[in-house]
Amino acid sequence: MAKWRAALSPALAALAAAIVSLPGLRLPFLSDDWAQIEATLAGVPCCTPFRDFRPVYMASLWLDRVLGGLNAARFHASNLLLIAGAAALVVLVVRRYTGDGRLALASGLIFAVHPQHVENAAWVAGRNDPLFCVPYLLAMLAYDRWRARTRGAPWLTLLLYELALAAKETAVTLPLVLLVIGCCDARRRPGAAEWKRGLVPLFGLTVLHGLVLRTWFLGGAGRTLAGGLGAGTILNGLGLAAGSILPLQVDRLAHRPLLWGAAAV
């Protein structure tokens, strides 16, 4: 029974996410869906029309348009599948890090029916959330498996982390999340080898993607809360952390990024 429960729990969370997201399949394109899809007419752009560096996100929209044309239901179905996959992965991640199957299933079900997640099935442009979430959670699983042996570098984690970053900038929180888990769980407390081979490369990739690749492709800072390097970079990082954790409206976040960023940390 324990094996059956372990196998079925991710499927139950995915099924719950799919069921509550089904009404979104009937909806047309909404809001800035049109602008995002129009940007893919000439190929796969690296950036959104609103100056966000999200090549994986734009590639997914391009692929849906190539395969199904302007059929809104196809785009919504892709979002639904991503949300269902993310809910299943929540179960696996929580179970991996806590060892508690019931807590993992409860976490996956709560994630599956959360209104902020369900609405992404109805809003095509909101795909960036589940799209970055899937490699983000896979990276957490890969990192914990690597941490058990700490041999070489966590190459799979680094690859998945870069995919998550290229889907949405909010993935920048991953190294900090792994560090916090390590500090709170004595079994996962990072030693010198993990710092050198795991955490430092992850933080280094954060800098490479955020300050080098993003700036290069956008030809500047792009859409940020605060301009420039130094203090601006810190405020933007805190803003992304707040946006990934706290249910805030963008205008409130932009007005006091330092306050809400500190609250998120």
Side-chain angles (χ1 to χ4, degrees), residues 102-239:
R102 293 180 180 179
L103 177 63
L105 176 58
S107 300
L109 291 175
I110 292 171
F111 182 94
V113 301
H114 193 290
Q116 198 165 13
H117 303 157
V118 174
E119 74 175 9
N120 287 324
W123 184 33
V124 172
R127 175 180 302 182
N128 46 36
D129 287 331
L131 186 61
F132 99 81
C133 189
V134 168
Y136 187 104
L137 295 171
L138 286 172
M140 292 188 69
L141 289 171
Y143 187 83
D144 202 55
R145 290 180 180 274
W146 169 84
R147 174 191 270 143
R149 292 180 297 177
T150 322
R151 295 177 183 174
W155 296 112
L156 181 57
T157 300
L158 290 168
L159 174 61
L160 291 166
Y161 179 38
E162 176 57 30
L163 289 174
L165 284 170
K168 189 175 182 181
E169 301 83 349
T170 310
V172 73
T173 57
L174 178 64
L176 182 60
V177 168
L178 293 173
L179 178 59
V180 169
I181 290 174
C183 292
C184 294
D185 187 345
R187 299 169 300 171
R188 293 180 169 86
R189 197 148 296 159
E194 182 179 344
W195 270 103
K196 180 180 178 180
R197 299 174 184 174
L199 291 172
V200 169
L202 281 171
F203 281 108
L205 181 58
T206 303
V207 175
L208 175 63
H209 181 94
L211 296 184
V212 179
L213 288 179
R214 186 172 183 273
T215 303
W216 181 27
F217 279 100
L218 290 176
R223 183 167 64 164
T224 59
L225 295 173
L229 300 176
T233 301
I234 295 173
L235 288 176
N236 288 324
L238 289 172

